[in-house]
């Protein structure tokens, strides 16, 4: 009892201790939960309507879309490689598409709109949907039936079998191609559903735009009543800038007028950049020229062309196979244009191409007349070893040579007997592996109507060529092509020079003041979002470190801070320094923000020049008097209708107000002065007439409804692509979070 009483006396202490223990337990789980969700949050590229898009999903979609672009380039004979700028364009496109598609899905759901499987199948049968162009391997080229649905269905039904056959034959490239096609189809189907939903949404939206007979007749009259006039203009450019005085009060007044232009839905930054592009020195150019000249001498001497190209570090890999001119056109256009200027066995002396910053020499190993299309069929002698495969191929070959039925033999080995047309473009896009070169060379060598055993690695094939067509010139070319690049020494020199400048100028003010003296240019960038700044730097400069620079500006730097030196560029040829000069929170940019102030200054200057020009035009009562003013330009306007903007040579701005003035005036009347966008205008009306167009009330009402919709859409709503004012307005309500700059 005494013990129990003692424990009771510690009750408040025990409760506190137990409470702390429970808190520690719960808090531990809470902290883990917070940390886990914080990590998840850090991996989100953004969100729309609160729905997150993970960086993993975004990168997977980017990879799929990139593969689609590469496949389309392959099929069209273009160079497959995608530049950093193009890759960034893909990222920007996919993000904007994600935002727009999310908005449309959100709005369509509120209207009860959705896409059925039957609608998808109908779209596939019709083959007209824009998204189907992505899966170009199933396109027919026939405008009436552009998509081969049967071919797609056969592929989806048999893809597992195709993959198994390709794997058994050791065709890793074929396996990858089949997997890519399957991936592209999955992506295309998703895009097709979105396209059909978009069409439904816009069709529904179009029904909300309506006109009426009164408005249709009014618009028709405006279009058929035409004016011919002689117009004089006093451009605002004739007023010198020093005649205009602009105060802060003027800018603030204009700011209130244009304030809605300056709403920014995300945080932005003002930065200044120094971007140094490192280029080859005279010594660098000489060293590279000497190396290419040595390769030229070796090629001219008749050495092993593959070895010479390899050790020369050429940008163009040598393929020991005659290729179409188009292949060289896509890889090195300047080489393609010179192919017929040298005889087979000849070598072109080194030459510099300024556009590509390269120096090139090449040897035309051979030029042959070869077929562009070959009809063939083949049986793969599958076996556990190369020797067994060779023996089986001999058995198949002998049986066929002895008169055995081809189809029966093929079926015996579990293969089809179908023949296939193979074009140069098709096999050139498959990749120039050693096995492929062996196979294509064999197809060229085997005469039509004969067969041969072709050994490819561990496998043997019995190949029969049935027909050859479309003979053309093909070229076996060894190309030594080098970029005229800077050396490590040159790069180090430029880097040290910039570091010295930064050590001597450690503030924004000092850098601004002294950059020009040291040969550097400071480029200001105003009110840029993180993603916009990163996208711009990736496209213009490239390199992984531009992401670090943007992260510094948005997540680490304080106003007035100068960054360290960043080494950037797709080819490691840029040195970057950033200065953070302003932080702008989400909302309206202030009137004295550099970007806003620059815009407002231009607006106020134009307004004041307009006032000065109007003052000069006071008292002008005739066209002759107007033409006597200094700086006036004159032009004739024929057949102008109300609403058709007038643009005079010498002014260069579209003037809707002038169009209204001309429409209202009567024949023989002099009108003016009127202040337009770019000038003060005067006009002498020469004639008023009507066109012979007939009024169609229904057609005009429909046209007006479409115009109303186009005014907010600004693109074809059925093109599968959208870019319009309505979506921009909806985007402001979609709670869009864009964290792309973090990745």
């Amino acid at each position: 009892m005494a013990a129990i009483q003692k424990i009771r006396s510690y009750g408040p202490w025990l409760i506190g201790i137990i409470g702390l223990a429970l808190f520690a337990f719960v808090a531990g789980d809470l902290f883990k939960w917070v940390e886990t969700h914080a990590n998840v949050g850090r991996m989100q590229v953004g969100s729309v309507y609160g729905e997150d898009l993970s960086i993993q999903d975004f990168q997977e979609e980017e990879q799929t879309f990139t593969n689609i672009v590469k496949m389309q380039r392959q099929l069209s004979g273009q160079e497959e490689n995608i530049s950093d700028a193009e890759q960034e364009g893909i990222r920007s496109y996919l993000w904007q598409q994600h935002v727009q598609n999310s908005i449309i899905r959100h709005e369509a759901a509120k209207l009860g709109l959705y896409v059925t499987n039957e609608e998808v199948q109908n779209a596939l049968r019709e083959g007209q949907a824009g998204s189907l162009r992505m899966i170009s391997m199933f396109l027919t080229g026939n405008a009436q039936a552009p998509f081969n649905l049967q071919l797609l269905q056969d592929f989806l039904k048999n893809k597992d079998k195709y993959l198994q056959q390709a794997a058994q034959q050791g065709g890793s490239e074929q396996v990858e191609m089949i997997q890519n096609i399957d991936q592209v189809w999955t992506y295309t189907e998703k895009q097709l559903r979105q396209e059909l939903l978009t069409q439904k949404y816009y069709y529904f939206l179009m029904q909300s735009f309506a006109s009426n007979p009164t408005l249709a007749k009014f618009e028709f009259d405006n279009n058929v009543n035409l004016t011919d006039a002689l117009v004089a203009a006093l451009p605002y450019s004739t007023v010198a800038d020093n005649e205009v005085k602009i105060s802060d009060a003027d800018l603030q007044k204009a700011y209130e007028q244009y304030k809605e232009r300056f709403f920014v839905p995300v945080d932005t930054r003002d930065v200044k950049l120094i971007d140094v592009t490192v280029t080859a020195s005279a010594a660098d150019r000489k060293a590279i020229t000497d190396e290419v000249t040595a390769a030229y001498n070796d090629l001219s001497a008749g050495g092993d062309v593959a070895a010479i190209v390899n050790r020369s570090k050429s940008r163009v890999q040598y393929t020991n196979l005659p290729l179409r001119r188009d292949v060289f056109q896509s890889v090195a256009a300047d080489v393609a244009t010179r192919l017929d200027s040298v005889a087979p066995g000849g070598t072109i002396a080194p030459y510099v191409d300024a556009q590509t910053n390269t120096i090139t020499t090449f040897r035309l190993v051979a030029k042959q007349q070869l077929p562009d299309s070959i009809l063939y069929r083949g049986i793969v002698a599958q076996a556990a070893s190369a020797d067994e495969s060779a023996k089986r191929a001999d058995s198949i070959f002998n049986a066929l040579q002895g008169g055995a039925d081809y189809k029966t033999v093929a079926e015996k080995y579990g293969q089809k007997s179908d023949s296939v047309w193979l074009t140069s473009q098709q096999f050139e896009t498959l990749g120039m592996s050693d096995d492929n070169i062996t196979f294509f060379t064999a197809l060229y060598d085997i005469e039509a109507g004969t067969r041969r055993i072709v050994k490819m690695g561990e496998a043997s094939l019995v190949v029969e060529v049935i027909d050859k067509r479309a003979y053309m010139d093909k070229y076996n070319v060894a190309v030594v092509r080098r970029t005229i690049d800077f050396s490590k020494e040159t790069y180090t020199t430029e880097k040290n020079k910039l570091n010295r400048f930064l050590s001597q100028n450690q503030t924004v003010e000092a850098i601004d003041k002294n950059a020009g003296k040291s040969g550097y240019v400071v480029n200001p960038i105003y009110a840029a979002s993180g993603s916009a700044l990163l996208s711009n730097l990736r496209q213009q400069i490239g390199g992984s470190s531009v992401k670090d620079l943007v992260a510094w500006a948005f997540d680490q730097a304080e106003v007035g801070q100068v960054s360290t030196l960043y080494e950037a560029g797709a080819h490691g040829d840029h040195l970057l320094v950033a200065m953070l000069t302003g932080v702008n929170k989400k909302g309206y940019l202030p009137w004295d923000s550099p970007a806003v102030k620059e815009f407002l200054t231009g607006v106020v200057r134009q307004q004041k020049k307009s006032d000065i020009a109007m003052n000069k035009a006071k008292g002008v009562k005739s066209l002759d008097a107007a033409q006597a003013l200094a700086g006036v330009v004159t032009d004739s306007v024929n057949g102008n209708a109300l609403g058709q903007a007038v643009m005079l040579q010498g002014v260069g701005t579209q003037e809707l107000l002038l169009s209204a003035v001309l429409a209202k005036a009567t024949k023989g009347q002099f009108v003016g002065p009127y202040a337009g966008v770019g000038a003060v205008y005067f006009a002498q009306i020469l004639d008023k007439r009507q066109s012979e167009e007939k009024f169609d009330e229904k057609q005009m009402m429909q046209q007006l409804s479409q115009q109303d919709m186009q005014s907010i859409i600004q693109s074809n709503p059925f093109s599968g692509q959208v870019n319009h004012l309505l979506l921009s307005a909806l985007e402001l309500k979609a709670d869009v979070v864009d964290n792309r700059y973090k990745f």
Side-chain angles (χ1 to χ4, degrees):
M1 290 294 292
I4 292 174
Q5 187 64 37
K6 190 172 184 179
I7 290 173
R8 284 176 177 171
S9 70
Y10 291 135
W13 292 95
L14 286 172
I15 291 171
I17 292 170
I18 293 170
L20 287 172
L22 286 172
F23 173 77
F25 176 77
V26 174
D29 285 347
L30 176 63
F31 291 151
K32 289 179 182 177
W33 183 89
V34 170
E35 183 179 5
T36 299
H37 281 72
N39 288 333
V40 170
R42 284 193 288 269
M43 295 307 294
Q44 303 306 318
V45 74
S47 64
V48 184
Y49 293 112
E51 295 184 8
D52 292 332
L53 174 64
S54 72
I55 185 60
Q56 180 180 355
D57 289 343
F58 186 71
Q59 288 176 341
E60 285 179 359
E61 185 167 11
E62 178 188 344
Q63 185 59 55
T64 300
F65 194 86
T66 300
N67 288 339
I68 291 172
V69 174
K70 288 182 176 180
M71 290 176 69
Q72 290 179 335
R73 288 186 175 183
Q74 283 181 343
L75 293 172
S76 61
Q78 300 178 24
E79 186 176 0
E80 178 183 331
N81 293 335
I82 293 177
S83 67
D84 285 354
E86 291 171 326
Q87 194 67 50
E88 185 56 33
I90 289 174
R91 292 190 193 101
S92 297
Y93 167 78
L94 291 177
W95 169 254
Q96 195 57 42
Q97 185 185 62
H98 171 73
V99 173
Q100 293 178 347
N101 289 347
S102 298
I103 291 172
I104 288 174
R105 287 195 296 269
H106 181 82
E107 295 299 313
K110 292 194 295 185
L111 297 170
L113 302 176
Y114 59 91
V115 175
T116 66
N117 291 335
E118 183 180 357
E119 288 170 332
V120 172
Q121 289 300 312
N122 287 338
L124 289 173
R125 280 190 288 269
E126 293 170 0
Q128 301 292 341
S131 52
L132 295 179
R133 297 171 191 162
M134 291 187 295
I135 193 159
S136 52
M137 63 289 300
F138 298 123
L139 298 180
T140 65
N142 183 342
Q144 301 301 319
F147 187 73
N148 192 329
L149 178 58
Q150 184 61 51
L151 193 61
L152 170 64
Q153 291 172 334
D154 289 345
F155 170 79
L156 295 176
K157 179 180 178 181
N158 298 304
K159 67 179 179 182
D160 292 337
K161 183 171 71 175
Y162 295 155
L163 282 169
Q164 185 178 6
Q165 289 177 349
Q168 289 174 348
Q169 297 169 14
S172 59
E173 292 180 358
Q174 284 73 18
V175 169
E176 184 180 357
M177 179 174 291
I178 293 168
Q179 290 172 336
N180 283 342
I181 293 174
D182 186 41
Q183 185 183 44
V184 170
W185 161 244
T186 302
Y187 182 80
T188 301
E189 183 182 23
K190 175 185 172 184
Q191 296 301 310
L192 177 59
R193 287 183 177 275
Q194 180 65 48
E195 180 181 348
L196 295 176
L197 183 63
T198 300
Q199 289 179 357
K200 278 191 174 185
Y201 176 67
Y202 281 107
Y203 181 79
F204 184 89
L205 188 63
M206 285 184 71
Q207 307 315 304
S208 64
F209 288 87
S211 183
N212 58 69
T214 302
L215 184 60
K217 185 64 169 67
F218 177 79
E219 185 69 19
F220 173 79
D221 291 340
N222 289 337
N223 288 331
V224 297
N225 292 319
L226 308 178
T227 302
D228 297 337
L230 193 60
V231 179
L234 180 60
Y236 301 147
S237 58
T238 60
V239 180
D241 287 350
N242 59 16
E243 294 184 56
V244 177
K245 305 300 179 185
I246 300 175
S247 67
D248 286 351
D250 294 326
L251 298 178
Q252 291 170 0
K253 181 179 179 182
Y255 176 77
E256 294 303 320
Q257 181 181 356
Y258 292 94
K259 186 174 181 178
E260 291 304 319
R261 287 175 175 259
F262 311 128
F263 180 82
V264 181
V266 296
D267 290 352
T268 61
R269 299 291 185 269
D270 299 333
V271 298
K272 291 183 177 181
L273 288 177
I274 290 179
D275 174 18
V276 177
T277 304
V278 183
T279 57
S281 66
D284 297 335
R285 297 178 69 89
K286 183 179 184 305
I288 293 171
T289 300
D290 288 347
E291 291 177 14
V292 175
T293 301
Y296 163 72
N297 292 332
D298 291 342
L299 288 173
S300 300
D304 182 341
V305 294
I308 295 169
V309 171
N310 259 350
R311 66 172 175 261
S312 72
K313 302 174 185 176
S314 173
R315 285 178 48 183
V316 181
Q317 183 180 354
Y318 174 63
T319 300
N320 188 18
L321 188 74
L323 302 171
R324 295 173 304 129
R325 183 193 300 271
D326 288 351
V327 174
F328 299 99
Q329 184 69 38
S330 63
V331 175
D334 49 288
V335 171
T337 60
R338 290 172 166 84
L339 286 175
D340 292 327
S341 64
V342 59
T347 308
I348 290 287
Y351 63 90
V352 173
D353 183 59
Q355 187 173 1
T356 57
N357 190 38
T358 56
I359 181 169
T360 306
T361 182
F362 67 86
R363 177 182 175 86
L364 181 58
V365 178
K367 177 180 177 180
Q368 297 172 265
Q369 273 274 318
L370 294 170
D372 188 51
S373 300
I374 300 174
L375 182 65
Y376 79 98
R377 57 185 177 180
I379 301 175
V380 180
Q382 299 175 356
S385 68
D387 289 341
E388 291 180 12
S389 178
K391 290 177 183 178
R392 183 167 293 178
D394 287 337
S395 175
I396 294 171
F397 180 81
N398 292 331
L400 293 174
Q401 291 294 92
D405 178 65
Y406 191 98
K407 182 177 181 181
T408 302
V409 174
E411 289 177 348
K412 177 181 177 181
Y413 292 97
Q415 298 177 46
K416 291 185 177 182
S417 60
D418 300 343
S419 57
V420 178
W421 278 105
L422 183 63
T423 66
S424 299
Q425 182 174 339
Q426 287 173 326
F427 69 64
E428 286 161 357
T429 58
L430 290 175
M432 293 304 170
S433 65
D434 291 341
D435 282 347
N436 281 347
I437 291 174
T438 299
F439 182 64
F440 302 148
T441 301
L443 288 182
Y444 280 143
D445 292 343
I446 301 171
E447 294 183 8
T450 65
R451 59 181 67 93
R452 182 189 298 177
I453 296 175
V454 180
K455 184 173 176 56
M456 294 175 58
E458 297 296 309
S460 294
L461 298 78
V462 178
V463 179
E464 179 181 325
V465 173
I466 301 170
D467 195 7
K468 296 182 176 183
R469 295 182 183 177
Y471 279 74
M472 62 171 58
D473 287 336
K474 296 194 177 183
Y475 306 84
N476 186 325
V477 187
V479 180
V480 174
R481 185 179 184 85
R482 292 281 301 276
T483 300
I484 304 174
D485 211 347
F486 54 85
S487 64
K488 183 178 180 180
E489 291 76 15
T490 299
Y491 185 84
T492 302
T493 299
E494 290 291 345
K495 183 178 176 181
N496 290 340
K497 177 186 172 185
L498 182 54
N499 274 325
R500 282 195 302 272
F501 172 79
L502 294 174
S503 66
Q504 296 165 3
N505 301 274
Q506 299 183 7
T507 65
V508 176
E509 293 75 15
I511 291 174
D512 277 337
K513 179 180 178 181
N514 298 316
K517 300 174 186 177
S518 298
Y520 299 122
V521 177
V522 177
N523 297 306
I525 302 175
Y526 299 126
S529 68
S531 296
L533 180 59
L534 179 58
S535 178
N536 178 270
L537 293 180
R538 276 177 169 163
Q539 291 192 38
Q540 299 299 324
I541 297 172
S544 59
S545 64
V546 296
K547 178 174 73 69
D548 299 328
L549 185 152
V550 175
W552 170 84
F554 275 79
D555 299 334
Q556 302 166 27
E558 296 181 358
V559 174
Q561 191 172 346
V562 180
S563 75
T564 57
L565 188 151
Y566 290 91
E567 300 178 56
H571 305 291
D573 55 348
H574 286 259
L575 301 171
L576 291 177
V577 176
M579 294 154 273
L580 183 64
T581 58
V583 173
N584 310 299
K585 294 298 184 180
K586 172 183 176 180
Y588 293 97
L589 295 173
W591 75 270
D592 56 352
S593 172
V596 176
K597 198 169 185 179
E598 182 179 348
F599 172 83
L600 294 176
T601 299
V603 168
V604 172
R605 179 180 291 113
Q606 194 79 336
Q607 289 173 346
K608 287 182 175 288
K609 285 189 174 185
S610 173
D611 294 340
I612 294 171
M614 281 293 287
N615 191 53
K616 291 180 180 180
K618 279 184 178 178
V620 173
K621 301 299 183 182
S622 68
L623 194 64
D624 289 340
Q627 290 175 317
L629 295 172
V632 164
V633 295
T634 306
D635 200 357
S636 59
V637 174
N638 297 313
N640 183 256
L642 179 65
Q644 294 179 352
V646 179
M647 187 167 71
L648 266 64
Q649 286 187 342
V651 180
T653 56
Q654 293 190 334
E655 303 285 359
L656 280 171
L657 175 61
L658 180 58
S659 173
V661 169
L662 297 180
K664 184 179 178 182
T666 59
K667 182 176 180 179
Q669 184 180 357
F670 171 77
V671 292
Y674 287 98
V677 176
V680 170
Y681 292 95
F682 315 86
Q684 181 67 50
I685 309 303
L686 303 178
D687 192 19
K688 306 288 287 189
R689 52 195 171 85
Q690 284 190 339
S691 70
E692 297 181 359
E693 185 179 352
K694 302 299 181 183
F695 178 57
D696 186 326
E697 181 180 281
K698 183 178 180 181
Q699 181 182 3
M700 181 57 68
M701 288 174 61
Q702 183 178 8
Q703 180 180 325
L704 291 176
S705 297
Q706 291 175 349
Q707 287 176 357
D708 288 341
M709 185 173 180
Q710 290 297 323
S711 67
I712 66 165
I713 291 179
Q714 299 178 335
S715 68
N716 181 356
F718 300 107
S719 65
Q721 199 130 348
V722 288
N723 176 23
H724 56 71
L725 300 177
L726 177 62
L727 277 188
S728 297
L730 292 173
E731 187 174 333
L732 295 176
K733 300 181 179 181
D735 192 22
V736 177
V737 177
D738 183 359
N739 294 325
R740 285 177 295 153
Y741 77 92
K742 296 178 182 291
F743 302 97

